[in-house]
């Protein structure tokens, strides 16, 4: 670490210690964590980012959920069966499940929660999670008052019928939009009543959120008293607070990974996991219609060098959008760093004299570092890239509307399926806010995605998604960058903390903290 950075950290720490901060050094059995962004709403129908999703997964139960390793685990449903045709699901609910107001969770509550998300009056941005249920699209479109694909033979049994087989459907049921609330209590507070292991006991917006156990759920009394999330956007502030003992877990910023790896006092307290996440520069395919231009931009970027310098060498070059570790990932030849080939392709496409474009980004120190390096590589092949920085809402609005040339983004798994890195990102129907912000369109890819989603054989489905990933990659809708690795460092006072494969898989049931 350079002197300036260490001075920044020390200054923050000293100011914190001297200033009578409202967050004293942790001497309780509360697990002290940090969020980089402040949640807007803690309502399953309106969750739109990872911070909100992480919290909602703790507050609200779904029929099923994710374990830290990404595997499927029971939630409100003790067990379930799926018909041979893949269209009918039968769930047996846990009769001991209680909302945090003490009321028993019944099958009717699941149906009421699903209807609320699909109700056009709710205007949920995540109604797509449930729209494969028979009758859901008509109900969501205001064409019907009923959803025949949802039924409850009794209080502890739920039956779901789909319009067509959809292999990842169980994974969809673990997403925030499919979490269950006590609909009857809506309007009685800012946060719906849930049945998850934790409930919100304090929410100071922009400052902190405190969770305490749902009193109607069994908890390990020897674990932690609660979980306190503090909103700390600045990475060096988070580092300072961890090193001063006021945070129990730190997600290490990329630039600081080498220092933590080499510091002996952290040995035995570091956790590492390849992320189900891809970084990319989306190219507006309605503006860059010539595939030679898109391929040229890929050849212009030295991705291995970016990884060595900006990601501490701890990432995998992306030769597709499906991350390693997911069925459907395949190694394939990539767009090798070849400036001469990039210039040749640009000339063939009519840009021998160069090309100008804007790359939009949301404000981010790490994003700045990546794009400034990319800008230099592009200039070397005659492409003049102007970096345009905007706050998130303005950035998202412009990108979703297709008004920008290119944009820097990442995609994080909502659920651990290759489909989640292909259908939202490249199916024509999802152009814009649906995830396909590059506005890529290929009827053959669309047909293949639909066919793959109906396959019940897991190996055949993985092969199909690998083929689709190859087809898309060959058309270079993005400048493909890398799949990152995340590092967390954990306080020696904390045991049992597991690094989740996806943000919805946090599980603190085995965590213990010594004050």
């Amino acid at each position: 670490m350079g002197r300036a950075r260490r001075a920044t950290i020390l200054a923050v720490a000293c100011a914190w210690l001297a200033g009578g901060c409202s967050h004293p050094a942790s001497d309780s059995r509360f697990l002290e964590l940090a969020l980089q962004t402040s949640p807007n709403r803690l309502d399953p129908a309106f969750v739109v980012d990872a911070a909100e999703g992480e919290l909602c997964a703790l507050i609200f139960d779904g029929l099923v959920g994710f374990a830290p390793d990404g595997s499927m685990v029971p939630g409100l449903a003790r067990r379930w069966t799926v018909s041979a045709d893949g269209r009918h699901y039968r769930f047996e609910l846990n009769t001991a499940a209680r909302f945090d107001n003490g009321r028993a969770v019944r099958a009717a509550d699941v149906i009421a929660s699903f209807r609320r998300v699909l109700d056009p009056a709710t205007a949920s941005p995540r109604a797509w999670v449930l729209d494969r249920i028979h009758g859901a699209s008509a109900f969501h479109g205001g064409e019907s008052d009923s959803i025949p694909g949802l039924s409850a033979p009794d209080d502890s049994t739920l039956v779901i019928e789909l319009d067509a087989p959809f292999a990842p459907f169980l994974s969809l049921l673990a997403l925030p939009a499919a979490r269950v609330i006590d609909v009857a209590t809506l309007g009685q507070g800012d946060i719906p009543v849930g049945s998850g292991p934790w409930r919100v006991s304090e929410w100071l917006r922009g400052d902190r959120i405190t969770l305490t156990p749902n009193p109607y759920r069994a908890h390990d009394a020897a674990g932690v008293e609660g979980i306190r999330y503090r909103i700390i956007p600045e990475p060096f502030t988070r580092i300072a607070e961890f090193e001063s003992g006021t945070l129990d877990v730190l997600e290490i910023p990329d630039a600081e990974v080498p220092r933590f790896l080499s510091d002996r006092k952290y040995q035995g307290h570091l956790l590492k996991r390849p992320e189900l996440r891809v970084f990319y520069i989306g190219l507006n395919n309605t503006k860059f219609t010539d595939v030679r231009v898109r391929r040229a931009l890929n050849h212009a970027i030295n991705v291995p060098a970016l990884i060595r310098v900006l990601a501490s060498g701890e990432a995998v070059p992306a030769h597709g959008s499906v991350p390693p570790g997911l069925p459907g990932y395949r190694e394939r030849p990539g767009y090798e760093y070849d400036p001469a080939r990039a210039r040749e392709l640009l000339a063939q496409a009519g840009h021998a004299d160069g090309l100008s474009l804007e790359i939009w980004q949301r404000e981010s120190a790490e994003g700045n570092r990546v794009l400034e390096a990319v800008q230099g590589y592009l200039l070397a092949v005659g492409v003049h890239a102007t970096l345009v920085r905007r706050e998130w809402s303005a950035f998202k609005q412009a990108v979703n509307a297709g008004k920008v040339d290119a944009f820097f983004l990442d995609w994080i798994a909502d659920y651990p399926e290759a489909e989640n890195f292909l259908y939202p990102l490249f199916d024509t129907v999802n152009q814009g806010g649906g995830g396909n912000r590059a506005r890529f369109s290929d009827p053959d890819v669309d047909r293949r995605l639909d066919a793959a989603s109906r396959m019940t054989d897991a190996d055949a489905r993985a092969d199909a998604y690998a083929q689709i990933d190859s087809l898309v990659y060959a058309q270079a809708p993005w400048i493909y960058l890398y799949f990152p690795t995340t590092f967390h460092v954990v306080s020696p006072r904390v045991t049992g903390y597991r690094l989740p494969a996806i943000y919805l898989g946090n599980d603190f049931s085995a965590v213990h903290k010594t004050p």
Side-chain angles (χ1 to χ4, degrees), residues 232-270:
I232 309 176
E234 291 298 323
F236 291 126
T237 306
R238 295 194 298 274
I239 293 172
E241 300 241 5
F242 177 80
E243 293 187 330
S244 64
T246 57
L247 285 182
D248 292 319
V249 180
L250 171 71
E251 180 178 350
I252 306 172
D254 286 345
E256 298 300 311
V257 167
R259 178 172 75 87
F260 278 86
L261 289 178
S262 62
D263 195 325
R264 294 181 60 183
K265 70 172 174 286
Y266 297 120
Q267 302 308 306
H269 302 290
L270 290 165

mmCIF file of all heavy atoms in Angstrom, residues 232-270:
data_model
loop_
_atom_site.group_PDB
_atom_site.id
_atom_site.type_symbol
_atom_site.label_atom_id
_atom_site.label_comp_id
_atom_site.label_asym_id
_atom_site.label_seq_id
_atom_site.Cartn_x
_atom_site.Cartn_y
_atom_site.Cartn_z
ATOM 1 N N ILE A 232 -21.452 1.977 4.385
ATOM 2 C CA ILE A 232 -20.114 2.578 4.289
ATOM 3 C C ILE A 232 -19.683 2.512 2.825
ATOM 4 O O ILE A 232 -19.100 1.512 2.389
ATOM 5 C CB ILE A 232 -19.092 1.863 5.189
ATOM 6 C CG1 ILE A 232 -19.629 1.725 6.626
ATOM 7 C CG2 ILE A 232 -17.776 2.609 5.191
ATOM 8 C CD1 ILE A 232 -18.710 0.950 7.562
ATOM 9 N N PRO A 233 -19.945 3.560 2.047
ATOM 10 C CA PRO A 233 -19.630 3.506 0.613
ATOM 11 C C PRO A 233 -18.141 3.483 0.308
ATOM 12 O O PRO A 233 -17.724 2.836 -0.654
ATOM 13 C CB PRO A 233 -20.286 4.785 0.058
ATOM 14 C CG PRO A 233 -21.255 5.225 1.106
ATOM 15 C CD PRO A 233 -20.681 4.775 2.415
ATOM 16 N N GLU A 234 -17.326 4.181 1.097
ATOM 17 C CA GLU A 234 -15.917 4.340 0.755
ATOM 18 C C GLU A 234 -15.095 3.115 1.154
ATOM 19 O O GLU A 234 -15.111 2.687 2.311
ATOM 20 C CB GLU A 234 -15.347 5.574 1.443
ATOM 21 C CG GLU A 234 -15.885 6.888 0.907
ATOM 22 C CD GLU A 234 -15.544 7.071 -0.560
ATOM 23 O OE1 GLU A 234 -14.438 6.667 -0.980
ATOM 24 O OE2 GLU A 234 -16.391 7.604 -1.305
ATOM 25 N N PRO A 235 -14.339 2.539 0.201
ATOM 26 C CA PRO A 235 -13.586 1.317 0.514
ATOM 27 C C PRO A 235 -12.535 1.508 1.602
ATOM 28 O O PRO A 235 -12.349 0.624 2.444
ATOM 29 C CB PRO A 235 -12.940 0.947 -0.829
ATOM 30 C CG PRO A 235 -12.977 2.185 -1.662
ATOM 31 C CD PRO A 235 -14.190 2.927 -1.217
ATOM 32 N N PHE A 236 -11.843 2.652 1.617
ATOM 33 C CA PHE A 236 -10.792 2.836 2.612
ATOM 34 C C PHE A 236 -11.386 3.069 4.007
ATOM 35 O O PHE A 236 -10.757 2.739 5.006
ATOM 36 C CB PHE A 236 -9.874 3.991 2.212
ATOM 37 C CG PHE A 236 -9.051 3.665 0.995
ATOM 38 C CD1 PHE A 236 -9.060 4.490 -0.110
ATOM 39 C CD2 PHE A 236 -8.284 2.508 0.946
ATOM 40 C CE1 PHE A 236 -8.323 4.174 -1.241
ATOM 41 C CE2 PHE A 236 -7.540 2.188 -0.169
ATOM 42 C CZ PHE A 236 -7.557 3.023 -1.282
ATOM 43 N N THR A 237 -12.601 3.600 4.062
ATOM 44 C CA THR A 237 -13.278 3.717 5.354
ATOM 45 C C THR A 237 -13.624 2.328 5.881
ATOM 46 O O THR A 237 -13.449 2.032 7.072
ATOM 47 C CB THR A 237 -14.547 4.572 5.233
ATOM 48 O OG1 THR A 237 -14.220 5.831 4.660
ATOM 49 C CG2 THR A 237 -15.175 4.781 6.599
ATOM 50 N N ARG A 238 -14.096 1.450 4.994
ATOM 51 C CA ARG A 238 -14.407 0.081 5.418
ATOM 52 C C ARG A 238 -13.146 -0.625 5.914
ATOM 53 O O ARG A 238 -13.184 -1.343 6.919
ATOM 54 C CB ARG A 238 -15.043 -0.697 4.259
ATOM 55 C CG ARG A 238 -16.406 -0.167 3.828
ATOM 56 C CD ARG A 238 -17.135 -1.153 2.928
ATOM 57 N NE ARG A 238 -16.439 -1.439 1.687
ATOM 58 C CZ ARG A 238 -16.534 -0.729 0.571
ATOM 59 N NH1 ARG A 238 -17.305 0.356 0.544
ATOM 60 N NH2 ARG A 238 -15.876 -1.071 -0.522
ATOM 61 N N ILE A 239 -12.051 -0.436 5.213
ATOM 62 C CA ILE A 239 -10.791 -1.059 5.658
ATOM 63 C C ILE A 239 -10.400 -0.546 7.034
ATOM 64 O O ILE A 239 -10.022 -1.314 7.932
ATOM 65 C CB ILE A 239 -9.672 -0.777 4.634
ATOM 66 C CG1 ILE A 239 -9.951 -1.495 3.318
ATOM 67 C CG2 ILE A 239 -8.319 -1.230 5.191
ATOM 68 C CD1 ILE A 239 -8.996 -1.114 2.203
ATOM 69 N N ALA A 240 -10.476 0.777 7.227
ATOM 70 C CA ALA A 240 -10.094 1.366 8.507
ATOM 71 C C ALA A 240 -10.950 0.833 9.639
ATOM 72 O O ALA A 240 -10.456 0.532 10.733
ATOM 73 C CB ALA A 240 -10.212 2.890 8.428
ATOM 74 N N GLU A 241 -12.232 0.699 9.389
ATOM 75 C CA GLU A 241 -13.128 0.223 10.448
ATOM 76 C C GLU A 241 -12.881 -1.258 10.757
ATOM 77 O O GLU A 241 -12.975 -1.686 11.908
ATOM 78 C CB GLU A 241 -14.573 0.481 10.034
ATOM 79 C CG GLU A 241 -14.863 1.958 9.801
ATOM 80 C CD GLU A 241 -15.925 2.505 10.706
ATOM 81 O OE1 GLU A 241 -16.380 1.762 11.601
ATOM 82 O OE2 GLU A 241 -16.292 3.673 10.538
ATOM 83 N N PHE A 242 -12.562 -2.040 9.743
ATOM 84 C CA PHE A 242 -12.229 -3.438 10.019
ATOM 85 C C PHE A 242 -10.949 -3.516 10.838
ATOM 86 O O PHE A 242 -10.868 -4.264 11.829
ATOM 87 C CB PHE A 242 -12.068 -4.228 8.718
ATOM 88 C CG PHE A 242 -11.663 -5.655 8.955
ATOM 89 C CD1 PHE A 242 -12.602 -6.612 9.319
ATOM 90 C CD2 PHE A 242 -10.326 -6.041 8.857
ATOM 91 C CE1 PHE A 242 -12.220 -7.921 9.576
ATOM 92 C CE2 PHE A 242 -9.935 -7.340 9.113
ATOM 93 C CZ PHE A 242 -10.890 -8.289 9.469
ATOM 94 N N GLU A 243 -9.947 -2.762 10.447
ATOM 95 C CA GLU A 243 -8.665 -2.839 11.145
ATOM 96 C C GLU A 243 -8.743 -2.265 12.549
ATOM 97 O O GLU A 243 -7.925 -2.608 13.407
ATOM 98 C CB GLU A 243 -7.586 -2.134 10.311
ATOM 99 C CG GLU A 243 -7.298 -2.866 8.999
ATOM 100 C CD GLU A 243 -6.129 -2.305 8.226
ATOM 101 O OE1 GLU A 243 -5.878 -1.087 8.327
ATOM 102 O OE2 GLU A 243 -5.473 -3.078 7.506
ATOM 103 N N SER A 244 -9.720 -1.389 12.809
ATOM 104 C CA SER A 244 -9.886 -0.871 14.162
ATOM 105 C C SER A 244 -10.843 -1.720 14.993
ATOM 106 O O SER A 244 -11.068 -1.438 16.168
ATOM 107 C CB SER A 244 -10.391 0.583 14.118
ATOM 108 O OG SER A 244 -11.685 0.638 13.538
ATOM 109 N N GLY A 245 -11.420 -2.761 14.375
ATOM 110 C CA GLY A 245 -12.231 -3.708 15.129
ATOM 111 C C GLY A 245 -13.710 -3.435 15.147
ATOM 112 O O GLY A 245 -14.450 -4.098 15.874
ATOM 113 N N THR A 246 -14.193 -2.472 14.350
ATOM 114 C CA THR A 246 -15.621 -2.148 14.387
ATOM 115 C C THR A 246 -16.414 -2.841 13.284
ATOM 116 O O THR A 246 -17.626 -2.740 13.252
ATOM 117 C CB THR A 246 -15.832 -0.633 14.284
ATOM 118 O OG1 THR A 246 -15.216 -0.157 13.090
ATOM 119 C CG2 THR A 246 -15.229 0.071 15.485
ATOM 120 N N LEU A 247 -15.737 -3.531 12.375
ATOM 121 C CA LEU A 247 -16.389 -4.421 11.421
ATOM 122 C C LEU A 247 -15.827 -5.822 11.627
ATOM 123 O O LEU A 247 -14.634 -5.993 11.890
ATOM 124 C CB LEU A 247 -16.137 -3.974 9.978
ATOM 125 C CG LEU A 247 -16.892 -2.761 9.453
ATOM 126 C CD1 LEU A 247 -16.529 -2.515 7.986
ATOM 127 C CD2 LEU A 247 -18.396 -2.929 9.599
ATOM 128 N N ASP A 248 -16.687 -6.808 11.493
ATOM 129 C CA ASP A 248 -16.265 -8.192 11.683
ATOM 130 C C ASP A 248 -15.872 -8.881 10.390
ATOM 131 O O ASP A 248 -15.151 -9.879 10.412
ATOM 132 C CB ASP A 248 -17.382 -8.991 12.362
ATOM 133 C CG ASP A 248 -17.618 -8.543 13.796
ATOM 134 O OD1 ASP A 248 -16.629 -8.277 14.497
ATOM 135 O OD2 ASP A 248 -18.794 -8.450 14.195
ATOM 136 N N VAL A 249 -16.382 -8.396 9.271
ATOM 137 C CA VAL A 249 -16.090 -8.991 7.974
ATOM 138 C C VAL A 249 -15.834 -7.871 6.976
ATOM 139 O O VAL A 249 -16.572 -6.887 6.947
ATOM 140 C CB VAL A 249 -17.251 -9.882 7.477
ATOM 141 C CG1 VAL A 249 -16.914 -10.496 6.114
ATOM 142 C CG2 VAL A 249 -17.581 -10.976 8.484
ATOM 143 N N LEU A 250 -14.808 -8.029 6.171
ATOM 144 C CA LEU A 250 -14.468 -7.029 5.154
ATOM 145 C C LEU A 250 -14.353 -7.708 3.801
ATOM 146 O O LEU A 250 -13.601 -8.679 3.644
ATOM 147 C CB LEU A 250 -13.144 -6.340 5.490
ATOM 148 C CG LEU A 250 -12.561 -5.424 4.399
ATOM 149 C CD1 LEU A 250 -13.401 -4.157 4.260
ATOM 150 C CD2 LEU A 250 -11.101 -5.077 4.709
ATOM 151 N N GLU A 251 -15.105 -7.213 2.822
ATOM 152 C CA GLU A 251 -14.867 -7.601 1.435
ATOM 153 C C GLU A 251 -13.700 -6.757 0.946
ATOM 154 O O GLU A 251 -13.809 -5.532 0.875
ATOM 155 C CB GLU A 251 -16.096 -7.378 0.563
ATOM 156 C CG GLU A 251 -15.872 -7.781 -0.883
ATOM 157 C CD GLU A 251 -17.102 -7.610 -1.750
ATOM 158 O OE1 GLU A 251 -18.201 -7.362 -1.201
ATOM 159 O OE2 GLU A 251 -16.972 -7.719 -2.982
ATOM 160 N N ILE A 252 -12.582 -7.386 0.632
ATOM 161 C CA ILE A 252 -11.346 -6.658 0.345
ATOM 162 C C ILE A 252 -11.410 -6.046 -1.052
ATOM 163 O O ILE A 252 -11.623 -6.763 -2.031
ATOM 164 C CB ILE A 252 -10.131 -7.592 0.450
ATOM 165 C CG1 ILE A 252 -10.110 -8.293 1.821
ATOM 166 C CG2 ILE A 252 -8.837 -6.812 0.246
ATOM 167 C CD1 ILE A 252 -9.050 -9.368 1.934
ATOM 168 N N PRO A 253 -11.229 -4.730 -1.178
ATOM 169 C CA PRO A 253 -11.177 -4.120 -2.508
ATOM 170 C C PRO A 253 -10.037 -4.707 -3.331
ATOM 171 O O PRO A 253 -8.988 -5.096 -2.784
ATOM 172 C CB PRO A 253 -10.933 -2.637 -2.199
ATOM 173 C CG PRO A 253 -11.389 -2.441 -0.791
ATOM 174 C CD PRO A 253 -11.104 -3.743 -0.096
ATOM 175 N N ASP A 254 -10.223 -4.783 -4.643
ATOM 176 C CA ASP A 254 -9.221 -5.419 -5.511
ATOM 177 C C ASP A 254 -7.824 -4.858 -5.292
ATOM 178 O O ASP A 254 -6.841 -5.611 -5.238
ATOM 179 C CB ASP A 254 -9.615 -5.234 -6.986
ATOM 180 C CG ASP A 254 -10.775 -6.117 -7.384
ATOM 181 O OD1 ASP A 254 -11.089 -7.064 -6.638
ATOM 182 O OD2 ASP A 254 -11.379 -5.866 -8.443
ATOM 183 N N ALA A 255 -7.730 -3.544 -5.173
ATOM 184 C CA ALA A 255 -6.408 -2.922 -5.063
ATOM 185 C C ALA A 255 -5.688 -3.305 -3.780
ATOM 186 O O ALA A 255 -4.458 -3.194 -3.694
ATOM 187 C CB ALA A 255 -6.539 -1.398 -5.152
ATOM 188 N N GLU A 256 -6.426 -3.755 -2.772
ATOM 189 C CA GLU A 256 -5.825 -4.072 -1.478
ATOM 190 C C GLU A 256 -5.586 -5.558 -1.255
ATOM 191 O O GLU A 256 -5.041 -5.961 -0.226
ATOM 192 C CB GLU A 256 -6.726 -3.528 -0.353
ATOM 193 C CG GLU A 256 -6.897 -2.021 -0.381
ATOM 194 C CD GLU A 256 -5.567 -1.297 -0.246
ATOM 195 O OE1 GLU A 256 -4.797 -1.644 0.665
ATOM 196 O OE2 GLU A 256 -5.294 -0.409 -1.073
ATOM 197 N N VAL A 257 -6.003 -6.386 -2.212
ATOM 198 C CA VAL A 257 -5.857 -7.831 -2.045
ATOM 199 C C VAL A 257 -4.406 -8.248 -1.801
ATOM 200 O O VAL A 257 -4.126 -9.028 -0.867
ATOM 201 C CB VAL A 257 -6.463 -8.578 -3.251
ATOM 202 C CG1 VAL A 257 -6.049 -10.050 -3.250
ATOM 203 C CG2 VAL A 257 -7.982 -8.465 -3.228
ATOM 204 N N PRO A 258 -3.429 -7.758 -2.584
ATOM 205 C CA PRO A 258 -2.038 -8.195 -2.329
ATOM 206 C C PRO A 258 -1.570 -7.899 -0.910
ATOM 207 O O PRO A 258 -0.862 -8.717 -0.304
ATOM 208 C CB PRO A 258 -1.235 -7.402 -3.365
ATOM 209 C CG PRO A 258 -2.200 -7.118 -4.466
ATOM 210 C CD PRO A 258 -3.507 -6.897 -3.774
ATOM 211 N N ARG A 259 -1.937 -6.741 -0.368
ATOM 212 C CA ARG A 259 -1.493 -6.393 0.989
ATOM 213 C C ARG A 259 -2.070 -7.368 2.016
ATOM 214 O O ARG A 259 -1.349 -7.848 2.911
ATOM 215 C CB ARG A 259 -1.902 -4.961 1.340
ATOM 216 C CG ARG A 259 -1.515 -4.565 2.771
ATOM 217 C CD ARG A 259 -1.750 -3.092 3.021
ATOM 218 N NE ARG A 259 -3.134 -2.746 3.186
ATOM 219 C CZ ARG A 259 -3.791 -2.793 4.353
ATOM 220 N NH1 ARG A 259 -3.165 -3.208 5.447
ATOM 221 N NH2 ARG A 259 -5.047 -2.437 4.433
ATOM 222 N N PHE A 260 -3.361 -7.674 1.903
ATOM 223 C CA PHE A 260 -3.970 -8.579 2.871
ATOM 224 C C PHE A 260 -3.430 -9.997 2.718
ATOM 225 O O PHE A 260 -3.251 -10.713 3.708
ATOM 226 C CB PHE A 260 -5.496 -8.556 2.720
ATOM 227 C CG PHE A 260 -6.161 -7.407 3.426
ATOM 228 C CD1 PHE A 260 -6.303 -6.173 2.802
ATOM 229 C CD2 PHE A 260 -6.623 -7.543 4.716
ATOM 230 C CE1 PHE A 260 -6.905 -5.104 3.447
ATOM 231 C CE2 PHE A 260 -7.236 -6.484 5.383
ATOM 232 C CZ PHE A 260 -7.367 -5.255 4.738
ATOM 233 N N LEU A 261 -3.160 -10.421 1.484
ATOM 234 C CA LEU A 261 -2.629 -11.761 1.272
ATOM 235 C C LEU A 261 -1.229 -11.926 1.845
ATOM 236 O O LEU A 261 -0.847 -13.011 2.299
ATOM 237 C CB LEU A 261 -2.608 -12.089 -0.232
ATOM 238 C CG LEU A 261 -3.961 -12.312 -0.908
ATOM 239 C CD1 LEU A 261 -3.764 -12.576 -2.401
ATOM 240 C CD2 LEU A 261 -4.715 -13.471 -0.266
ATOM 241 N N SER A 262 -0.465 -10.836 1.836
ATOM 242 C CA SER A 262 0.923 -10.924 2.296
ATOM 243 C C SER A 262 1.098 -10.628 3.785
ATOM 244 O O SER A 262 2.172 -10.857 4.343
ATOM 245 C CB SER A 262 1.797 -9.950 1.493
ATOM 246 O OG SER A 262 1.380 -8.609 1.704
ATOM 247 N N ASP A 263 0.047 -10.131 4.434
ATOM 248 C CA ASP A 263 0.141 -9.777 5.849
ATOM 249 C C ASP A 263 -0.117 -11.018 6.708
ATOM 250 O O ASP A 263 -1.212 -11.588 6.684
ATOM 251 C CB ASP A 263 -0.877 -8.683 6.175
ATOM 252 C CG ASP A 263 -0.603 -8.014 7.523
ATOM 253 O OD1 ASP A 263 -0.146 -8.716 8.445
ATOM 254 O OD2 ASP A 263 -0.844 -6.795 7.641
ATOM 255 N N ARG A 264 0.880 -11.418 7.476
ATOM 256 C CA ARG A 264 0.795 -12.671 8.230
ATOM 257 C C ARG A 264 -0.342 -12.678 9.248
ATOM 258 O O ARG A 264 -0.881 -13.739 9.572
ATOM 259 C CB ARG A 264 2.125 -12.946 8.929
ATOM 260 C CG ARG A 264 3.276 -13.222 7.967
ATOM 261 C CD ARG A 264 4.565 -13.504 8.709
ATOM 262 N NE ARG A 264 4.439 -14.669 9.574
ATOM 263 C CZ ARG A 264 5.407 -15.102 10.381
ATOM 264 N NH1 ARG A 264 6.554 -14.439 10.445
ATOM 265 N NH2 ARG A 264 5.228 -16.163 11.133
ATOM 266 N N LYS A 265 -0.699 -11.504 9.745
ATOM 267 C CA LYS A 265 -1.719 -11.520 10.796
ATOM 268 C C LYS A 265 -3.101 -11.900 10.274
ATOM 269 O O LYS A 265 -3.994 -12.224 11.059
ATOM 270 C CB LYS A 265 -1.780 -10.155 11.497
ATOM 271 C CG LYS A 265 -2.343 -9.006 10.710
ATOM 272 C CD LYS A 265 -2.509 -7.783 11.618
ATOM 273 C CE LYS A 265 -2.934 -6.530 10.867
ATOM 274 N NZ LYS A 265 -1.812 -5.974 10.081
ATOM 275 N N TYR A 266 -3.261 -11.872 8.949
ATOM 276 C CA TYR A 266 -4.559 -12.256 8.390
ATOM 277 C C TYR A 266 -4.593 -13.705 7.931
ATOM 278 O O TYR A 266 -5.640 -14.191 7.507
ATOM 279 C CB TYR A 266 -4.917 -11.334 7.216
ATOM 280 C CG TYR A 266 -5.082 -9.884 7.628
ATOM 281 C CD1 TYR A 266 -4.272 -8.896 7.080
ATOM 282 C CD2 TYR A 266 -6.033 -9.525 8.576
ATOM 283 C CE1 TYR A 266 -4.413 -7.570 7.473
ATOM 284 C CE2 TYR A 266 -6.175 -8.202 8.973
ATOM 285 C CZ TYR A 266 -5.361 -7.231 8.419
ATOM 286 O OH TYR A 266 -5.493 -5.935 8.818
ATOM 287 N N GLN A 267 -3.470 -14.391 7.990
ATOM 288 C CA GLN A 267 -3.452 -15.783 7.563
ATOM 289 C C GLN A 267 -4.399 -16.602 8.450
ATOM 290 O O GLN A 267 -4.409 -16.477 9.663
ATOM 291 C CB GLN A 267 -2.028 -16.345 7.647
ATOM 292 C CG GLN A 267 -1.018 -15.582 6.806
ATOM 293 C CD GLN A 267 -1.466 -15.411 5.364
ATOM 294 O OE1 GLN A 267 -1.785 -16.395 4.695
ATOM 295 N NE2 GLN A 267 -1.489 -14.179 4.880
ATOM 296 N N GLY A 268 -5.178 -17.425 7.806
ATOM 297 C CA GLY A 268 -6.162 -18.212 8.541
ATOM 298 C C GLY A 268 -7.493 -17.510 8.695
ATOM 299 O O GLY A 268 -8.458 -18.114 9.184
ATOM 300 N N HIS A 269 -7.560 -16.234 8.287
ATOM 301 C CA HIS A 269 -8.811 -15.478 8.404
ATOM 302 C C HIS A 269 -9.294 -14.960 7.055
ATOM 303 O O HIS A 269 -10.234 -14.168 7.001
ATOM 304 C CB HIS A 269 -8.614 -14.298 9.365
ATOM 305 C CG HIS A 269 -8.168 -14.701 10.740
ATOM 306 N ND1 HIS A 269 -8.989 -15.365 11.624
ATOM 307 C CD2 HIS A 269 -6.972 -14.582 11.366
ATOM 308 C CE1 HIS A 269 -8.323 -15.618 12.738
ATOM 309 N NE2 HIS A 269 -7.105 -15.158 12.599
ATOM 310 N N LEU A 270 -8.659 -15.404 5.979
ATOM 311 C CA LEU A 270 -9.018 -14.976 4.637
ATOM 312 C C LEU A 270 -9.869 -16.044 3.959
ATOM 313 O O LEU A 270 -9.588 -17.239 4.054
ATOM 314 C CB LEU A 270 -7.773 -14.712 3.790
ATOM 315 C CG LEU A 270 -6.944 -13.484 4.175
ATOM 316 C CD1 LEU A 270 -5.580 -13.540 3.514
ATOM 317 C CD2 LEU A 270 -7.669 -12.203 3.765
#
